[in-house]
Amino acid sequence: MKCRVAVIGAGVVGLCSAVRIQDSLGDDLEIVIYTEDKSPNTTGDVAAGFWAPYFIQNTPTEKIISGYHFVSVTCEPSKLLPYLEKKFVNRGGKIIIKKIESFSQLNEYDLIINCTGLYSKYLNSDDKVRPIRGQIARVEAPWQFDIQMDDSDDGHYIIPNQDCVILGGTHQINDWNVNPTNVDTTFILDGCAQLVPALKGAKIIKHQVGLRPGRDFVKLELENRNVDGKIIHIIHNYGHGGCGVTLCYGCGGEVAELARVVLRNIRKMCKKYLGNTRQSSLLELELEFIY
């Protein structure tokens, strides 16, 4: 019996979760991604894709005496997302362009993975989710090879990508404006030029804005929810803020482990109650799953 899994969201978190479920549970699944849009029109496509140690970003500033230096990588979402999408589809996954406004729309699935980021504020009625507005500038600066960052609240950063250098940025909480502003543009260009004077006058390719899915803590947990009299099994995976690229692979692995437990229990109960069919007594099966 093939279990059916629906993933909501095709950003870096959603695609990583889907691919890691495929990696972990093999081909004995039907996995469908539902998304209102996909790359190159996601929040992640605005991001520079810098992988930074997550615990360092949470370290109180008073404990950092002068700064820190480490070797890292950039995983540009504009290139990572198409790669993950291709990998997912080539292994039998399906992507459907459709906005999901209620979990009840997917109640025919055995398991739902909620990776909707900022939209979880509405889909999951989570008031702890808030936008963190980030504006950046993409410039031509082929001489810039190293990353420089100022970790203050609205600090500047310089992150080389393959075809450009990204200058940032802003961290404006509860700001829903998706349009670049002149004030922020000046703040970014002047501040980055102070860090690297050679950037002053660099040719601007474009300005972009993305709304990071902010939350005090990442929500990664299993919920068994009664929707219209049916128990729906939902794994939430959202609230990564500006650390989606850093956390997506590890969080995707945790999602895969939770999915393994859920689907194993479903298979056991289907075998116990229904043999090789998927008919009748479903409520009894679901109640035993929970209790």
Side-chain angles (χ1 to χ4, degrees):
M1 179 191 75
K2 276 198 171 186
C3 288
R4 304 185 68 206
V5 178
V7 178
I8 315 175
V12 68
V13 173
L15 281 169
C16 251
S17 295
V19 168
R20 295 219 63 185
I21 290 172
Q22 287 178 325
D23 290 340
S24 178
L25 303 179
D27 300 324
D28 195 23
L29 289 174
E30 177 189 342
I31 308 180
V32 179
I33 292 177
Y34 288 86
T35 181
E36 185 177 8
D37 211 338
K38 59 179 184 176
S39 183
N41 301 315
T42 73
T43 298
D45 286 286
V46 180
F50 175 51
W51 193 100
Y54 190 61
F55 73 93
I56 288 181
Q57 293 196 358
N58 282 342
T59 301
T61 54
E62 63 269 17
K63 292 188 177 182
I64 301 176
I65 298 175
S66 59
Y68 49 88
H69 180 275
F70 57 92
V71 176
S72 186
V73 296
T74 54
C75 302
E76 299 178 40
S78 60
K79 295 178 171 60
L80 176 62
L81 287 167
Y83 163 77
L84 291 172
E85 181 181 322
K86 182 178 179 180
K87 182 176 182 179
F88 173 72
V89 171
N90 286 346
R91 297 176 66 176
K94 299 178 183 178
I95 299 178
I96 296 176
I97 305 299
K98 180 180 180 180
K99 184 176 182 178
I100 300 300
E101 298 181 342
S102 170
F103 292 120
S104 62
Q105 293 176 248
L106 303 174
N107 62 6
E108 75 272 19
Y109 286 89
D110 298 294
L111 177 63
I112 298 171
I113 316 296
N114 173 27
C115 303
T116 54
L118 188 58
Y119 184 59
S120 285
K121 183 177 185 69
Y122 307 105
L123 180 63
N124 198 39
S125 301
D126 190 340
D127 291 334
K128 295 179 181 179
V129 177
R130 59 193 183 276
I132 304 175
R133 181 180 180 274
Q135 179 171 325
I136 58 100
R138 293 180 184 267
V139 303
E140 291 184 4
W143 60 84
Q144 184 69 30
F145 293 104
D146 65 320
I147 294 171
Q148 298 199 30
M149 302 187 72
D150 175 358
D151 274 350
S152 58
D153 286 345
D154 265 337
H156 298 90
Y157 55 82
I158 301 165
I159 303 176
N161 275 190
Q162 184 174 348
D163 303 316
C164 67
V165 174
I166 293 182
L167 310 182
T170 64
H171 301 78
Q172 296 151 335
I173 297 174
N174 285 321
D175 189 335
W176 291 89
N177 182 15
V178 295
N179 298 308
T181 69
N182 292 332
V183 172
D184 290 332
T185 295
T186 300
F187 170 78
I188 291 167
L189 297 180
D190 288 352
C192 288
Q194 288 182 7
L195 292 175
V196 179
L199 290 171
K200 187 175 181 63
K203 182 179 178 180
I204 297 173
I205 300 172
K206 61 181 173 181
H207 300 282
Q208 291 178 289
V209 172
L211 301 181
R212 308 174 183 94
R215 198 173 186 274
D216 291 339
F217 301 96
V218 173
K219 187 177 182 70
L220 205 171
E221 61 186 44
L222 170 65
E223 177 188 4
N224 299 309
R225 180 180 298 190
N226 190 321
V227 178
D228 298 330
K230 178 180 178 180
I231 302 300
I232 296 180
H233 311 298
I234 306 169
I235 298 175
H236 299 288
N237 183 19
Y238 64 83
H240 301 79
C243 298
V245 169
T246 298
L247 299 177
C248 64
Y249 189 79
C251 288
E254 291 191 39
V255 167
E257 287 304 308
L258 287 172
R260 181 194 299 274
V261 173
V262 172
L263 298 176
R264 181 181 61 206
N265 288 341
I266 288 175
R267 287 191 177 104
K268 284 181 179 179
M269 288 184 291
C270 283
K271 185 176 181 180
K272 176 179 178 181
Y273 284 100
L274 310 176
N276 293 323
T277 70
R278 294 174 58 87
Q279 301 171 1
S280 75
S281 195
L282 187 57
L283 180 58
E284 183 181 4
L285 183 154
E286 289 167 339
L287 289 175
E288 179 165 321
F289 179 88
I290 297 173
Y291 299 110

